[in-house]
């Protein structure tokens, strides 16, 4: 089964040309006195250091490590290497892997900020949000622990095209787990291959990885990104429904169904749309 995730809305930053206002000198005549031109030297200001670090919903741990390195002007790989020294308060199920617990938010960057302090701040924030009564009770109500709820939320964050679809995606996860069906989600393949794409090939689905949800039953061993609050709410309060399949055939049109035959027709429409000139241009 293909459960393709549409690309996130990409903001293309257009480089705008800056208009340079050039004042040309003029010689004023009248008293036969030449008026000298005054040249003003403009000193370039030193770039200001960022005062905050914004972690978007759905970023993977690797992306966050890179962002911390850049924000603190550290050599690439510094934050990843700092993990053992950070003494992060993670659940036992995480086995030291902070994926899923680097909570998306805006964090202050003061002069004392270090990779260890920022990672600890993110994990502490996640623990406060996830271990509170609503999330913990919701997880228990659905016969799972909080770490499993975070894992489902990470799937929802990666797969849902819109916030409105999050509850339905969560329901698909629950329905497939209850029926003993593999999740077959492309987002887990992308995580295993460390990539972002909407196209998954048959070869991709045969890779040897614990994150291959086409071949392995149950949830992936860890979250696959760091979900936000909406995804967490969807994970503990999935929308009622009998859906087993979904695919986004085009932006704004995600179709959920319990019928495999209907799903195949939806996937065929998705594939046709991917071959359109507009889709090819957008992928460039």
């Amino acid at each position: 089964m293909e459960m393709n995730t549409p690309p996130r809305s990409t903001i293309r930053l257009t480089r705008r040309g800056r208009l340079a206002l050039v004042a040309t000198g003029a010689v004023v005549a009248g008293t036969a006195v030449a008026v000298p031109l005054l040249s003003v030297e403009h000193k370039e200001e030193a770039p200001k250091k960022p005062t905050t670090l914004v972690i978007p919903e759905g970023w993977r741990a690797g992306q966050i490590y890179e962002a911390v390195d850049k924000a603190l002007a550290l050599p690439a790989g510094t934050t990843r290497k700092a993990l053992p020294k950070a003494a992060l308060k993670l659940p036992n199920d995480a086995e030291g892997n902070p994926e899923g617990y680097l909570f998306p938010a805006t964090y202050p960057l003061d002069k004392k900020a270090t990779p260890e302090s920022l990672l600890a701040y993110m994990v502490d924030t996640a623990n406060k949000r996830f271990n509170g009564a609503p999330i913990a009770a919701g997880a228990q109500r659905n016969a799972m622990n909080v770490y499993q709820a975070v894992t489902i939320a990470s799937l929802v964050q990666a797969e849902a095209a819109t916030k409105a679809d999050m509850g339905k995606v969560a329901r698909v996860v629950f329905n497939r787990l209850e029926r003993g069906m593999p999740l077959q989600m492309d987002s887990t393949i992308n995580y295993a291959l460390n990539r972002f794409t909407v196209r998954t090939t048959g070869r991709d689905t045969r890779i040897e990885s614990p994150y291959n949800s086409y071949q392995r039953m149950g949830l992936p061993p860890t979250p696959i990104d760091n979900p936000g609050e909406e995804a967490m709410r969807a994970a503990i309060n999935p929308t009622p429904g009998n859906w087993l399949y979904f695919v986004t055939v085009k932006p704004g049109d995600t179709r959920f169904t319990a019928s495999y035959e209907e799903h195949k027709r939806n996937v065929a429409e998705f594939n046709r749309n991917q071959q359109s000139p507009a889709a090819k241009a957008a992928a460039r």
Side-chain angles (χ1 to χ4, degrees), residues 172 184 253:
V172 170
Q184 295 183 313
D253 185 4

Side-chain angles (χ1 to χ4, degrees), residues 83-102:
L83 277 175
K85 299 182 292 183
L88 302 177
K89 299 177 181 178
L90 296 166
N92 292 334
D93 288 347
E95 298 182 351
N97 183 350
E99 192 76 86
Y101 278 74
L102 300 175

Side-chain angles (χ1 to χ4, degrees), residues 3-262:
M3 302 180 69
N4 295 284
T5 307
R8 299 284 178 193
S9 296
T10 303
I11 300 175
R12 298 179 181 268
L13 299 179
T14 303
R15 183 174 297 175
R16 296 181 179 178
R18 293 183 178 179
L19 295 178
L21 300 180
V22 181
T24 56
V27 178
V28 180
T31 57
V33 177
V35 180
L37 298 178
L38 301 178
S39 61
V40 180
E41 294 184 1
H42 296 279
K43 295 182 179 180
E44 293 186 2
E45 296 182 1
K48 294 181 179 179
K49 293 183 178 179
T51 57
T52 58
L53 172 63
V54 178
I55 303 300
E57 297 172 349
W59 265 19
R60 298 174 185 169
Q63 293 173 285
I64 295 173
Y65 301 152
E66 292 178 5
V68 173
D69 286 343
K70 291 178 181 179
L72 300 182
L74 297 172
T78 300
T79 300
R80 187 184 295 273
K81 293 176 182 177
L83 277 175
K85 299 182 292 183
L88 302 177
K89 299 177 181 178
L90 296 166
N92 292 334
D93 288 347
E95 298 182 351
N97 183 350
E99 192 76 86
Y101 278 74
L102 300 175
F103 194 79
T106 300
Y107 295 93
L109 295 176
D110 57 29
K111 294 180 180 180
K112 296 181 180 180
T114 65
E116 295 88 343
S117 68
L118 284 172
L119 293 177
Y121 197 166
M122 295 176 196
V123 172
D124 289 346
T125 302
N127 283 325
K128 290 177 182 176
R129 302 294 180 90
F130 297 161
N131 294 332
I135 300 297
Q140 186 176 18
R141 185 173 63 249
N142 288 286
M144 58 185 174
N145 61 31
V146 171
Y147 191 72
Q148 291 170 320
V150 175
T151 302
I152 291 176
S154 74
L155 296 172
V156 170
Q157 188 76 65
E159 292 279 349
T162 65
K163 291 180 180 179
D165 288 339
M166 286 184 170
K168 291 183 177 181
V169 172
R171 176 54 66 189
V172 170
V173 173
F174 278 101
N175 286 346
R176 293 181 75 86
L177 290 175
E178 289 170 359
R179 286 164 176 75
M181 300 171 66
L183 295 181
Q184 295 183 313
M185 291 193 167
D186 294 346
S187 56
T188 64
I189 298 289
N190 285 337
Y191 188 77
L193 296 175
N194 192 29
R195 69 182 190 187
F196 300 88
T197 181
V198 298
R199 303 294 295 179
T200 297
T201 66
R203 182 178 180 180
D204 293 337
T205 65
R206 294 189 293 272
I207 64 169
E208 190 62 36
S209 169
Y211 293 91
N212 185 347
S213 64
Y214 279 80
Q215 293 190 344
R216 295 176 181 263
M217 302 296 292
L219 294 173
T222 71
I224 61 170
D225 57 48
N226 294 276
E229 289 185 303
E230 282 105 346
M232 281 300 299
R233 283 196 290 269
I236 61 172
N237 293 300
T239 305
N242 64 347
W243 312 291
L244 294 171
Y245 312 93
F246 67 90
V247 62
T248 298
V249 297
K250 60 183 177 181
D253 185 4
T254 299
R255 299 178 190 175
F256 294 81
T257 180
S259 165
Y260 181 54
E261 292 303 317
E262 183 179 353

